[in-house]
Amino acid sequence: MSKALVVFSGGQDSTTCLIQALTQYDEVHAITFDYGQRHDEEIERAKALAKQFNIASHKVMDVTLLNELAISALTRDSIPVSHTLMDNGLPNTFVPGRNILFLTLAGIYAYQLGADSVITGVCETDFSGYPDCRNDFVKAMESALVQGMDRKLDIVTPLMWLNKAETWALADKYDSLDVVRNQTLTCYNGIIGDGCGDCPACDLRSKGLHDYLENKQKVMHSLDEKNRAKNIN
């Protein structure tokens, strides 16, 4: 029996990954991390969607210790989300160490579940500039986990080389465009669906949706080509 664990936030990307995983694995579990993020609605969304998709299990893990260490607009209500990059070239929504911690804990939990795959919706094609969303980082984490636990583990990144329009196309391919559009939470201000329309996350999401809806056939073809190339390699 094939088992997968999805790192699940209830946002567009991780929900699309969860939907795809349900067609590819015999048993799908999810883990959501409560790190004292800017809005609690993210966790409630993840709970509701996990129940809706009737997955094997959904674990919500308290990792609020990250909040004590990582100062960011996503961990401090007093810091407004900015469209301007910080002096280090990163957005002020970057939470240092977040994916290092998340993938480490997900790997440990996958070990307990007997799952060989951890799925995460990170992407370095259309993304917010976070260094812990890059392919080199993910491969390094995968190697560390395999060596540290002496057990086979694949960190699967279905969206790594997709742009946001292609991510929307992927949801549509699984007849879930409306669910992802209306029931997920990507907005940094905690508004479900199309969001506030102003924060960087909403900008990226809405631009991708517009590009997909305006060029459905072209974007779907591009998605199919990328998936075909990935399967060949």
Side-chain angles (χ1 to χ4, degrees), residues 211-229:
D211 290 348
Y212 174 59
L213 295 178
E214 289 293 307
N215 306 280
K216 275 192 173 186
Q217 189 172 358
K218 180 180 177 181
V219 175
M220 192 65 79
H221 177 72
S222 175
L223 171 66
D224 289 341
E225 286 295 304
K226 286 185 178 181
N227 284 337
R228 193 162 21 250

Side-chain angles (χ1 to χ4, degrees), residues 41-158:
E41 185 57 40
E42 179 179 302
I43 296 166
E44 296 307 312
R45 275 289 80 211
K47 288 179 180 177
L49 287 165
K51 184 176 182 180
Q52 179 176 328
F53 289 117
N54 195 32
I55 62 176
S57 74
H58 179 217
K59 185 175 188 65
V60 178
M61 181 171 286
D62 183 345
V63 291
T64 47
L65 60 91
L66 180 62
N67 192 286
E68 297 179 34
L69 301 172
I71 298 174
S72 159
L74 294 191
T75 60
R76 299 291 186 276
D77 291 338
S78 59
I79 303 176
V81 173
S82 174
H83 288 266
T84 304
L85 298 181
M86 298 185 293
D87 291 342
N88 61 4
L90 297 174
N92 76 342
T93 50
F94 173 59
V95 182
R98 179 172 59 174
N99 283 344
I100 297 172
L101 181 63
F102 287 4
L103 290 177
T104 299
L105 295 174
I108 296 168
Y109 188 46
Y111 187 105
Q112 303 302 325
L113 292 171
D116 290 331
S117 298
V118 168
I119 301 172
T120 176
V122 298
C123 163
E124 72 167 69
T125 304
D126 255 356
F127 74 133
S128 300
Y130 300 157
D132 59 358
C133 289
R134 296 173 183 155
N135 190 58
D136 286 349
F137 160 75
V138 172
K139 291 305 179 188
M141 283 297 303
E142 180 183 87
S143 176
L145 288 166
V146 168
Q147 292 180 61
M149 296 191 293
D150 195 20
R151 182 180 182 275
K152 181 182 182 299
L153 180 71
D154 294 320
I155 300 182
V156 183
T157 54

Side-chain angles (χ1 to χ4, degrees), residues 7-72:
V7 179
F8 188 51
S9 70
Q12 175 194 356
D13 294 341
S14 64
T15 301
T16 302
C17 288
L18 180 68
I19 290 165
Q20 183 185 55
L22 287 166
T23 72
Q24 296 178 335
Y25 296 87
D26 298 317
E27 192 173 293
V28 176
H29 302 260
I31 186 166
T32 299
F33 295 104
D34 178 357
Y35 61 97
Q37 51 264 65
R38 194 176 184 92
H39 43 79
D40 294 336
E41 185 57 40
E42 179 179 302
I43 296 166
E44 296 307 312
R45 275 289 80 211
K47 288 179 180 177
L49 287 165
K51 184 176 182 180
Q52 179 176 328
F53 289 117
N54 195 32
I55 62 176
S57 74
H58 179 217
K59 185 175 188 65
V60 178
M61 181 171 286
D62 183 345
V63 291
T64 47
L65 60 91
L66 180 62
N67 192 286
E68 297 179 34
L69 301 172
I71 298 174
S72 159

